[in-house]
Coordinates of all heavy atoms in Angstrom, one line a residue:
M24 N -44.0 -5.6 -34.6 CA -42.7 -5.3 -35.1 C -41.7 -4.8 -34.0 O -40.5 -5.2 -34.0 CB -42.8 -4.2 -36.2 CG -43.5 -4.6 -37.4 SD -43.7 -3.3 -38.6 CE -42.0 -3.0 -39.0
L25 N -42.2 -4.1 -33.0 CA -41.4 -3.6 -32.0 C -41.0 -4.7 -31.0 O -39.8 -4.8 -30.7 CB -42.2 -2.5 -31.1 CG -42.4 -1.2 -31.8 CD1 -43.2 -0.2 -31.0 CD2 -41.0 -0.5 -32.2
C26 N -41.9 -5.5 -30.6 CA -41.6 -6.6 -29.7 C -40.7 -7.6 -30.4 O -39.7 -8.1 -29.8 CB -42.9 -7.4 -29.3 SG -44.0 -6.4 -28.2
G27 N -41.0 -8.0 -31.6 CA -40.1 -9.0 -32.3 C -38.7 -8.4 -32.5 O -37.7 -9.1 -32.4
G28 N -38.6 -7.1 -32.9 CA -37.4 -6.5 -33.1 C -36.5 -6.4 -31.9 O -35.3 -6.7 -31.9
F29 N -37.1 -6.0 -30.8 CA -36.3 -5.9 -29.5 C -35.8 -7.2 -29.1 O -34.7 -7.4 -28.6 CB -37.2 -5.3 -28.4 CG -37.2 -3.8 -28.5 CD1 -38.4 -3.1 -28.7 CD2 -36.0 -3.0 -28.2 CE1 -38.4 -1.7 -28.7 CE2 -36.0 -1.7 -28.3 CZ -37.2 -1.0 -28.5
I30 N -36.6 -8.3 -29.2 CA -36.1 -9.6 -28.9 C -35.0 -10.1 -29.8 O -34.0 -10.7 -29.3 CB -37.3 -10.6 -28.9 CG1 -38.4 -10.3 -27.9 CG2 -36.8 -12.1 -28.7 CD1 -39.6 -11.2 -28.0
G31 N -35.1 -9.7 -31.1 CA -34.1 -10.1 -32.0 C -32.8 -9.4 -31.9 O -31.7 -9.8 -32.3
L32 N -32.8 -8.2 -31.2 CA -31.6 -7.4 -31.1 C -30.5 -8.1 -30.3 O -29.3 -8.1 -30.6 CB -31.9 -6.1 -30.4 CG -32.4 -4.9 -31.3 CD1 -32.8 -3.7 -30.4 CD2 -31.4 -4.6 -32.4
E33 N -31.0 -8.9 -29.2 CA -30.0 -9.6 -28.4 C -29.3 -10.7 -29.2 O -28.1 -10.9 -29.1 CB -30.7 -10.2 -27.2 CG -29.8 -10.7 -26.1 CD -29.6 -12.2 -26.3 OE1 -30.3 -12.9 -27.1 OE2 -28.7 -12.7 -25.6
R34 N -30.1 -11.4 -30.0 CA -29.5 -12.4 -30.9 C -28.6 -11.8 -32.0 O -27.6 -12.4 -32.3 CB -30.6 -13.2 -31.6 CG -31.5 -14.0 -30.6 CD -30.9 -15.2 -30.1 NE -30.2 -15.0 -28.8 CZ -29.4 -15.9 -28.2 NH1 -29.2 -17.0 -28.8 NH2 -28.9 -15.6 -27.1
E35 N -29.0 -10.6 -32.5 CA -28.2 -10.0 -33.5 C -26.8 -9.6 -33.0 O -25.8 -9.7 -33.7 CB -28.9 -8.7 -34.0 CG -28.3 -8.0 -35.2 CD -28.6 -8.7 -36.5 OE1 -29.7 -9.3 -36.6 OE2 -27.7 -8.7 -37.3
K36 N -26.8 -9.1 -31.7 CA -25.5 -8.7 -31.1 C -24.6 -9.9 -31.0 O -23.3 -9.7 -31.0 CB -25.7 -8.1 -29.7 CG -26.4 -6.7 -29.8 CD -26.7 -6.2 -28.4 CE -27.4 -4.9 -28.4 NZ -27.7 -4.3 -27.1
L37 N -25.1 -11.1 -30.8 CA -24.3 -12.3 -30.7 C -24.0 -13.0 -32.0 O -23.5 -14.1 -32.1 CB -25.0 -13.3 -29.7 CG -25.2 -12.9 -28.3 CD1 -26.0 -13.9 -27.5 CD2 -23.9 -12.6 -27.6
N38 N -24.5 -12.3 -33.1 CA -24.2 -12.8 -34.5 C -24.8 -14.2 -34.7 O -24.2 -15.1 -35.3 CB -22.7 -12.8 -34.8 CG -22.5 -12.9 -36.3 OD1 -23.3 -12.5 -37.1 ND2 -21.3 -13.5 -36.6
R39 N -26.1 -14.4 -34.2 CA -26.8 -15.6 -34.4 C -27.4 -15.7 -35.8 O -27.7 -14.7 -36.4 CB -27.8 -15.8 -33.3 CG -27.2 -16.0 -31.9 CD -26.3 -17.3 -31.9 NE -25.8 -17.6 -30.6 CZ -24.6 -17.4 -30.2 NH1 -23.7 -16.9 -31.0 NH2 -24.2 -17.8 -29.0
P40 N -27.8 -16.9 -36.3 CA -28.4 -17.0 -37.6 C -29.7 -16.2 -37.7 O -29.9 -15.7 -38.8 CB -28.7 -18.5 -37.7 CG -27.7 -19.2 -36.8 CD -27.5 -18.2 -35.6
A41 N -30.5 -16.2 -36.7 CA -31.7 -15.4 -36.7 C -31.6 -14.2 -35.9 O -31.2 -14.3 -34.7 CB -32.9 -16.2 -36.2
G42 N -31.7 -13.0 -36.5 CA -31.5 -11.7 -35.7 C -32.7 -10.8 -35.8 O -33.8 -11.2 -35.7
F43 N -32.4 -9.5 -35.9 CA -33.3 -8.4 -35.7 C -34.5 -8.5 -36.7 O -35.7 -8.6 -36.3 CB -32.6 -7.1 -35.9 CG -33.5 -5.9 -35.9 CD1 -34.0 -5.4 -34.7 CD2 -33.8 -5.1 -37.0 CE1 -34.8 -4.3 -34.6 CE2 -34.6 -4.0 -36.9 CZ -35.1 -3.6 -35.7
R44 N -34.2 -8.6 -38.0 CA -35.3 -8.6 -39.0 C -36.1 -10.0 -38.9 O -37.3 -10.0 -39.2 CB -34.8 -8.4 -40.4 CG -34.3 -6.9 -40.6 CD -33.9 -6.7 -42.0 NE -32.8 -7.6 -42.4 CZ -32.5 -7.9 -43.7 NH1 -33.1 -7.2 -44.6 NH2 -31.5 -8.7 -44.0
T45 N -35.3 -11.1 -38.7 CA -36.0 -12.4 -38.6 C -37.1 -12.4 -37.5 O -38.2 -12.9 -37.7 CB -35.0 -13.5 -38.4 OG1 -34.0 -13.4 -39.4 CG2 -35.6 -14.8 -38.4
Y46 N -36.7 -11.9 -36.3 CA -37.6 -11.9 -35.2 C -38.8 -11.0 -35.5 O -39.9 -11.3 -35.1 CB -36.9 -11.6 -33.9 CG -36.2 -12.7 -33.3 CD1 -34.9 -13.1 -33.7 CD2 -36.8 -13.4 -32.2 CE1 -34.3 -14.2 -33.1 CE2 -36.1 -14.5 -31.6 CZ -34.9 -14.8 -32.1 OH -34.3 -15.9 -31.5
M47 N -38.5 -9.8 -36.1 CA -39.5 -8.9 -36.4 C -40.6 -9.4 -37.3 O -41.8 -9.3 -37.1 CB -38.9 -7.6 -37.0 CG -39.9 -6.5 -37.2 SD -39.1 -5.0 -38.0 CE -38.1 -4.4 -36.6
L48 N -40.1 -10.1 -38.4 CA -41.0 -10.6 -39.4 C -41.8 -11.8 -38.8 O -42.9 -12.1 -39.2 CB -40.2 -11.0 -40.6 CG -39.7 -9.9 -41.4 CD1 -38.8 -10.4 -42.6 CD2 -40.8 -9.0 -42.0
T49 N -41.1 -12.6 -37.9 CA -41.8 -13.8 -37.3 C -42.9 -13.3 -36.5 O -44.1 -13.9 -36.6 CB -40.8 -14.6 -36.5 OG1 -39.7 -15.1 -37.3 CG2 -41.5 -15.8 -35.8
C50 N -42.7 -12.4 -35.6 CA -43.8 -11.9 -34.7 C -44.9 -11.2 -35.6 O -46.1 -11.4 -35.3 CB -43.2 -10.9 -33.7 SG -44.2 -10.4 -32.4
L51 N -44.5 -10.4 -36.6 CA -45.5 -9.7 -37.4 C -46.3 -10.7 -38.2 O -47.5 -10.6 -38.3 CB -44.7 -8.8 -38.4 CG -45.6 -8.0 -39.4 CD1 -46.6 -7.1 -38.6 CD2 -44.8 -7.2 -40.3
G52 N -45.7 -11.8 -38.7 CA -46.4 -12.8 -39.5 C -47.4 -13.5 -38.6 O -48.6 -13.8 -39.0
A53 N -47.0 -13.8 -37.4 CA -48.0 -14.5 -36.5 C -49.2 -13.6 -36.1 O -50.3 -14.0 -36.0 CB -47.3 -14.9 -35.2
A54 N -48.9 -12.3 -35.9 CA -49.9 -11.3 -35.6 C -50.9 -11.2 -36.8 O -52.1 -11.1 -36.6 CB -49.3 -9.9 -35.3

Side-chain angles (χ1 to χ4, degrees):
M24 292 179 65
L25 290 176
C26 291
F29 275 116
I30 295 173
L32 278 177
E33 191 267 348
R34 297 285 93 189
E35 188 76 35
K36 291 179 181 179
L37 297 177
N38 196 28
R39 291 297 186 259
F43 178 71
R44 291 186 301 165
T45 304
Y46 277 82
M47 183 181 291
L48 291 173
T49 299
C50 192
L51 177 61

